[in-house]
Amino acid sequence: MQRSELKAFLRARRAALAPEAVGLPRGQRRLTPGLRREEVAVLADVGLTWYTWLEQGRQINVSAAALARIARALMLSPSDEAYLFALAGLARPEPAPARIEVPAPIRGMLERYRGPGFVLDPLFDLLAYNRYADFLFDFEAVRGPFARNHVWNAFMHPPRRVLYQPNFMRSAANLVAIFRMSHAAHPDDPRFDALVEALVQTSAEFAGLWEQQETAPLAALELPLYDARLGHFRVHSTRLPIRDGQADGATVFFFVPVDAASQACFERMTELVERKAEPA
């Protein structure tokens, strides 16, 4: 059954791919609507006889590397590629997530900003932060495999719940809705599924929000916050996506005070942060 499905799948995908899509001329003598077998073999850098046998569903040795090249040659979608590997009885190699480097100008901007600022990658893992953000979030206090993840800590690190008072669930719902959009934009990154599975198993609140299927844009949002040293205050959570080859997909978050009372809390925060930085 697997070999029969593999045969039908490869033939269908080859027939559906126009030669122009891969830079080949159609010509006047082409009898097939899509690619020829020999063209797929050349594009995938495999032998014609071997590819013919694969497409015929014969029992032959197939490597993950060769199958990946065939998937690229046929321009398969991520789900189609996963299906191809399943039919061939092979584990699909997971791509290593690209390492994001926060550009020096962004780090400099964080350092100079006299308020909380931090950078998250598409998974919402923490990449960089300034002293004022650390004052509020105490980033180094969390341990474990998801210690750097903003979504995980919102639900699993109790002090974060206190920070997002008095309406934690409203803030959490917005965070999950934004995270869902990022998850959909990165279907090949296995870290998303691992994080969602862990949160669903450990947080009933996250599981409930995840089941609601809500989405939200990465737009500025007004947030009420609470810190025992500062009291209640309100901020504009300003989100700025980074458009840089080194850090595409990352986002800078800045907290900006909403009103005079919140500005006074920021001034108190600055005083406390600067006092802590003074040499003993």
Side-chain angles (χ1 to χ4, degrees), residues 47-253:
L48 174 57
T49 300
W50 181 89
Y51 177 76
T52 300
W53 287 351
L54 176 69
E55 195 176 280
Q56 290 174 344
R58 296 196 189 187
Q59 193 71 33
I60 59 175
N61 292 327
V62 182
S63 70
L67 210 58
R69 293 198 300 273
I70 290 169
R72 287 194 295 271
L74 293 173
M75 301 179 70
L76 298 185
S77 68
S79 59
D80 282 344
E81 184 178 348
Y83 183 61
L84 174 63
F85 271 79
L87 290 178
L90 292 176
R92 181 185 179 205
E94 296 289 357
R99 178 175 176 80
I100 293 179
E101 297 290 344
V102 179
I106 298 294
R107 291 186 179 274
M109 184 167 59
L110 285 175
E111 187 64 28
R112 289 171 176 79
Y113 180 59
R114 295 173 71 84
F118 52 97
V119 181
L120 302 180
D121 74 2
L123 186 69
F124 282 35
D125 272 359
L126 183 69
L127 298 179
Y129 58 89
N130 65 12
R131 295 178 296 165
Y132 304 95
D134 194 39
F135 175 88
L136 288 182
F137 290 97
D138 195 11
F139 291 117
E140 303 303 324
V142 185
R143 296 291 181 267
F146 301 110
R148 310 294 285 182
N149 189 264
H150 199 64
V151 182
W152 173 268
N153 288 326
F155 291 91
M156 303 307 298
H157 186 47
R160 297 291 174 90
R161 178 183 295 273
V162 175
L163 177 63
Y164 285 99
Q165 294 302 322
N167 199 338
F168 167 77
M169 287 305 294
R170 176 177 176 269
S171 299
N174 177 258
L175 178 62
V176 171
I178 296 172
F179 176 72
R180 179 179 291 280
M181 295 288 288
S182 187
H183 185 359
H186 298 83
D188 292 334
D189 191 338
R191 300 178 302 160
F192 280 90
D193 289 335
L195 176 60
V196 170
E197 181 179 358
L199 278 166
V200 167
Q201 291 179 353
T202 54
S203 171
E205 290 171 328
F206 175 86
L209 291 172
W210 192 250
E211 288 177 0
Q212 292 178 18
Q213 300 287 327
E214 296 290 340
T215 63
L218 189 63
L221 180 72
E222 187 173 309
L223 291 174
L225 298 176
Y226 172 76
D227 181 271
R229 298 158 293 185
L230 306 175
H232 291 278
F233 57 104
R234 301 184 69 84
V235 300
H236 290 293
S237 177
T238 303
R239 294 91 183 260
L240 306 175
I242 300 176
R243 296 292 182 259
D244 185 286
Q246 293 177 297
D248 272 352
T251 302
V252 186
F253 289 72

